[in-house]
Amino acid sequence: VLFDKNQTTLIKCPTNKQGSYQIPSTVKKIASNAFSSRVLNLINIPVSVDLIESGAIGFCNASVIVDQSNSKYSSADGVLYNKNKSEILFCPSSKKGTFSIPETVIRIGSESFAGANIATIVIPKSVTSIGNLAFNSCVELQSIEIPSSVTLIEGNAFTFCYELETVKIPST
């Protein structure tokens, strides 16, 4: 695993890294594109991490577990959220079928579903915005209905969603 000199920034985890990985307690930042392993199955994020850059964990099978004492991030069922679960940040590509975003979520973060293998995503009425590249390369995604609460869909939200047949977008 590649770190900066002081081991405060995790720059890159090898794509062939297997099993589970406990991020060292010295790490404060996880850089963009740090994790993209299809064979890693678990990432443990310690209390020390206070910045996870957009796309830091993408195209990755690993479930995420965040230390409950972390002040910035949380996890549930292997999915990464901000602390109060108002923003979804990462959904593992190992999830399949239908995924229902929790009603606490108001923002679908940039690249949060990048490479996910989900066929249907249920977006609750609590969501108001969808980030850049949010569903990038969701190659199994077939349909999505965006509720009228959503007033912003950032660029390239559905790039490389080859199976996407139906998108219902509200007039808002």
Side-chain angles (χ1 to χ4, degrees), residues 50-166:
D50 61 11
L51 178 61
I52 300 173
E53 290 185 342
S54 177
I57 310 170
F59 299 92
C60 190
N61 280 343
S63 292
V64 175
I65 296 176
V66 178
D67 186 298
Q68 291 181 351
S69 298
N70 187 296
S71 64
K72 303 276 181 145
Y73 302 99
S74 62
S75 59
D77 298 322
V79 178
L80 178 65
Y81 300 90
N82 65 346
K83 185 62 178 182
N84 66 0
K85 293 185 174 75
S86 64
E87 183 174 6
I88 188 167
L89 302 170
F90 167 71
C91 181
S93 60
S94 58
K95 294 217 180 266
K96 307 227 184 274
T98 299
F99 181 80
S100 295
I101 295 172
E103 303 243 345
T104 57
V105 173
I106 60 172
R107 176 171 167 72
I108 298 172
S110 295
E111 301 182 64
S112 55
F113 286 88
N117 291 308
I118 298 168
T120 304
I121 296 173
V122 179
I123 301 175
K125 291 182 172 128
S126 58
V127 173
T128 60
S129 66
I130 298 173
N132 186 46
L133 296 164
F135 301 101
N136 177 30
S137 299
C138 287
V139 294
E140 302 293 323
L141 186 61
Q142 297 172 357
S143 67
I144 193 162
E145 184 172 343
I146 299 168
S148 60
S149 57
V150 174
T151 58
L152 175 65
I153 301 172
E154 293 181 11
N156 303 305
F158 298 99
T159 301
F160 304 117
C161 294
Y162 299 119
E163 297 298 316
L164 190 58
E165 295 176 3
T166 306

Side-chain angles (χ1 to χ4, degrees), residues 14-72:
T15 56
N16 63 350
K17 185 89 169 148
Q18 297 181 16
S20 63
Y21 181 67
Q22 173 67 53
I23 295 172
S25 61
T26 56
V27 173
K28 296 181 181 296
K29 174 182 168 183
I30 302 173
S32 183
N33 300 310
F35 289 94
S36 61
S37 173
R38 293 289 187 179
V39 291
L40 192 63
N41 60 24
L42 183 65
I43 300 169
N44 287 290
I45 298 176
V47 66
S48 60
V49 173
D50 61 11
L51 178 61
I52 300 173
E53 290 185 342
S54 177
I57 310 170
F59 299 92
C60 190
N61 280 343
S63 292
V64 175
I65 296 176
V66 178
D67 186 298
Q68 291 181 351
S69 298
N70 187 296
S71 64
K72 303 276 181 145

